[in-house]
Amino acid sequence: SVALAIEDHPAALLDPGRLGLLREEAGLPQLGYWHDTGRAQTRAALGLDSPGDWLDQHAAVLVGTSLHDWAEGQDQRLPGDGVVDFRLVAEYLPRNAARVLSVAPVYPKELLPAARDALGAAGLL
C-alpha cells in the first residue's frame, strides 16, 4: 500500500478535504491514508483541523497509524503521556492496519510496558 500522511506545518498543502480531492482528481483511488496521532494533534492545537476530521473523511482508506502522544507543543511522547484520544483512533482503525509506535529516543525502555498498556486500554492492541 501507498499512503499519504499528515503534515503538521500550517503551510502544508494537505488537509482532510484536499486529500480526497487529490485521490479523485489525480486518478489515485488506491492511494491510502496514514494517520499520525501526534501530527494530527499538533494541527488541532494550531486550529487547522481536528484528528476526527481526518479519521471521519478517510476511514475507508486508512492503512495505518503512527502512535505517539502530544502535550504542550511536543509530539513523540509515550502513549498516556499527553492528550491524544487513542480510543478515537481505535474506533476507525481497521483490524489489519499497521500500527507503529513512534516515540522520542529519550524515553528509557522501562517505560515501554506502560505505553503498551495505554494502547491496549484504548483498544489498539
Side-chain angles (χ1 to χ4, degrees):
S1 295
V2 175
L4 289 177
I6 296 174
E7 288 295 325
D8 55 2
H9 194 277
L13 297 176
L14 200 60
D15 65 25
R18 287 188 185 123
L19 175 56
L21 288 174
L22 176 65
R23 292 179 65 243
E24 290 173 22
E25 293 179 2
L28 298 170
Q30 72 281 8
L31 186 64
Y33 168 60
W34 186 272
H35 187 75
D36 185 300
T37 58
R39 288 181 176 176
Q41 199 64 48
T42 298
R43 291 182 62 84
L46 293 170
L48 299 174
D49 38 58
S50 75
D53 294 338
W54 290 93
L55 294 165
D56 282 342
Q57 292 182 40
H58 304 294
V61 295
L62 185 57
V63 298
T65 183
S66 296
L67 299 165
H68 52 117
D69 223 328
W70 183 96
E72 300 174 6
Q74 294 182 337
D75 65 357
Q76 293 203 324
R77 291 177 176 252
L78 284 173
D81 191 29
V83 298
V84 169
D85 184 353
F86 290 104
R87 288 184 191 272
L88 176 69
V89 177
E91 288 178 25
Y92 287 93
L93 197 64
R95 175 172 251 133
N96 63 342
R99 294 156 174 81
V100 175
L101 180 61
S102 176
V103 296
V106 299
Y107 289 101
K109 64 182 179 194
E110 292 79 17
L111 295 179
L112 290 177
R116 181 193 62 224
D117 292 346
L119 293 174
L124 286 164
L125 296 182

